[in-house]
Amino acid sequence: MPELSQETERGRGAAPFGLAEVTGPSMVPTLYQGDQLLVRYGARVRAGDVVVLRHPFQQDLLVVKRAVELREGGWWVLGDNAYAGGDSTDYGTVPEELILGRALFRWRPLRAGQRSPLALARWALSAARPELAEARKAAGTTFWRCGAAC
């Protein structure tokens, strides 16, 4: 269930922006292993945002999930991959103080095997993308699952 391999800590004197590298499958197809995120620490979170948070039971573990809704006790967060688990269906709501920030931008690095012109063209069209919940809502994209636990 680990999601981030690195993170810039929010706090006094820390920069309001940082970079994070994604590991793990819980946000596929939105985020993949090796994707880089530009994170705004302390940013206001809205439903649909991709957020960086501390795991409620292992606070040294940082995870990336989608904030679904604000409930009593905190945010209900889910991964975009319904089969990966490791979200609020396992640990319940996440207190707001454990939400560190929200992802603003995603950069997908070029993989070593992507050398053909077609592979390079696909990469160029999808390598950089803003992580804007409002833009996805406007496009009618379904970006979270919500089963009986919601």
Side-chain angles (χ1 to χ4, degrees):
M1 172 178 21
E3 287 297 322
L4 292 180
S5 61
Q6 55 185 306
E7 180 255 347
T8 302
E9 180 65 39
R10 175 180 67 153
R12 292 183 193 183
F17 296 96
L19 294 177
E21 182 178 339
V22 176
T23 62
S26 74
M27 288 298 291
V28 170
T30 305
L31 301 171
Y32 290 91
Q33 176 88 12
D35 283 358
Q36 303 288 317
L37 299 176
L38 175 64
V39 179
R40 173 137 190 220
Y41 294 101
R44 186 177 133 220
V45 175
R46 294 178 302 239
D49 286 343
V50 174
V51 295
V52 175
L53 59 115
R54 290 192 178 285
H55 190 286
F57 302 138
Q58 291 179 281
Q59 293 188 10
D60 60 334
L61 177 64
L62 301 177
V63 295
V64 174
K65 300 293 178 207
R66 190 168 305 277
V68 175
E69 66 183 9
L70 191 57
R71 296 181 173 186
E72 185 177 325
W75 279 97
W76 189 261
V77 296
L78 295 173
D80 288 355
N81 180 348
Y83 302 105
D87 55 24
S88 285
T89 58
D90 294 330
Y91 46 72
T93 58
V94 176
E96 288 191 74
E97 61 268 13
L98 296 182
I99 306 289
L100 300 177
R102 84 181 151 95
L104 301 176
F105 194 80
R106 187 263 299 155
W107 168 257
R108 183 161 293 147
L110 185 63
R111 286 181 277 160
Q114 289 180 300
R115 298 184 195 267
S116 74
L118 180 58
L120 289 173
R122 283 186 187 157
W123 171 81
L125 291 172
S126 69
R129 179 182 73 214
E131 285 300 326
L132 301 174
E134 296 304 315
R136 289 180 181 225
K137 286 180 189 175
T141 304
T142 301
F143 50 83
W144 65 68
R145 62 176 165 77
C146 194
C150 292

